[in-house]
Amino acid sequence: MRTRLLAVVAAGTVTILGLTACAPAHTPHEAAQHSATAPAPSPTANPYGVGAIDPPAASEPVLTVNGGRTPLSLTLDKLNALGSQTVTLDEPFVKRRETYTGVPLAVVLSEAGIPDNATIDTVGLDDYHYISAAKPMIESRALIATDRNDAPIPYDQGGPIRIVFPDGTPLSSVLDAWNWSLASITVKTPSGPGS
């Protein structure tokens, strides 16, 4: 399993989330000494990072798609306008049933003019890359989720958009394919490997 950090750039500063999860445990005496120099880490109940981050502005693109016939720069509203589906699945990182609503990856790739035999690179805000042929992701009914349990997905919990897979599909058990805090999709090989 990989460890991922989420970096957010705002007003010319960079905030890196997730570092407190790596902080060493302290005894109460050490914690008191440590708190004089730095704030104590707050516990988190999710594997994605810590700290609340404001949601994206309505005019802020949350997904760019490049390398097809039509480059896309999509806000949440533009992404959702492409059509949505809802699926309830076993979320493997938090280990509970959750309901996600979003746009099928196949629809986004089609809108961008990317064939299903292309190789694509999905990139998260933390610069995590998952490179795959598009076809297995489409066949696994990849969903670019914009809502979880009827609410927007917070940045600090893998949002505002992420890729999820319905239970029982080939990529539902490939955790690396579940790219959270998705930022971009780029064609690496237009007609797939070896073309």
Side-chain angles (χ1 to χ4, degrees):
M1 175 105 44
R2 65 186 183 271
T3 301
R4 294 173 54 176
L5 301 176
L6 177 62
V8 178
V9 179
T13 63
V14 175
T15 303
I16 298 179
L17 303 175
L19 294 179
T20 56
C22 300
H26 296 285
T27 65
H29 177 70
E30 290 172 324
Q33 291 176 337
H34 180 70
S35 66
T37 59
S42 58
T44 181
N46 71 65
Y48 309 112
V50 295
I53 301 169
D54 290 337
S59 63
E60 182 181 348
V62 295
L63 178 65
T64 59
V65 184
N66 294 297
R69 287 187 314 272
T70 307
L72 302 176
S73 181
L74 302 169
T75 63
L76 276 173
D77 287 343
K78 286 180 181 178
L79 179 60
N80 285 324
L82 296 177
S84 68
Q85 291 182 356
T86 299
V87 64
T88 299
L89 52 84
D90 288 315
E91 204 286 357
F93 297 97
V94 295
K95 300 180 181 5
R96 65 177 171 249
R97 299 282 293 166
E98 294 186 332
T99 299
Y100 288 91
T101 301
V103 180
L105 175 66
V107 170
V108 173
L109 296 181
S110 176
E111 187 75 14
I114 298 171
D116 65 357
N117 62 345
T119 298
I120 59 172
D121 182 8
T122 61
V123 182
L125 289 172
D126 61 356
D127 204 32
Y128 172 78
H129 294 255
Y130 180 75
I131 299 172
S132 172
K135 189 172 184 171
M137 294 184 78
I138 292 168
E139 290 173 345
S140 288
R141 301 192 324 263
L143 185 73
I144 300 175
T146 58
D147 286 322
R148 179 189 62 211
N149 299 326
D150 295 320
I153 307 168
Y155 276 107
D156 62 312
Q157 294 177 27
I161 62 174
R162 58 180 295 194
I163 296 177
V164 299
F165 297 92
D167 296 338
T169 61
L171 290 176
S172 66
S173 62
V174 179
L175 299 184
D176 289 342
W178 293 64
N179 204 339
W180 62 73
S181 297
L182 183 66
S184 68
I185 300 171
T186 303
V187 173
K188 297 301 277 184
T189 309
S191 298
S195 61

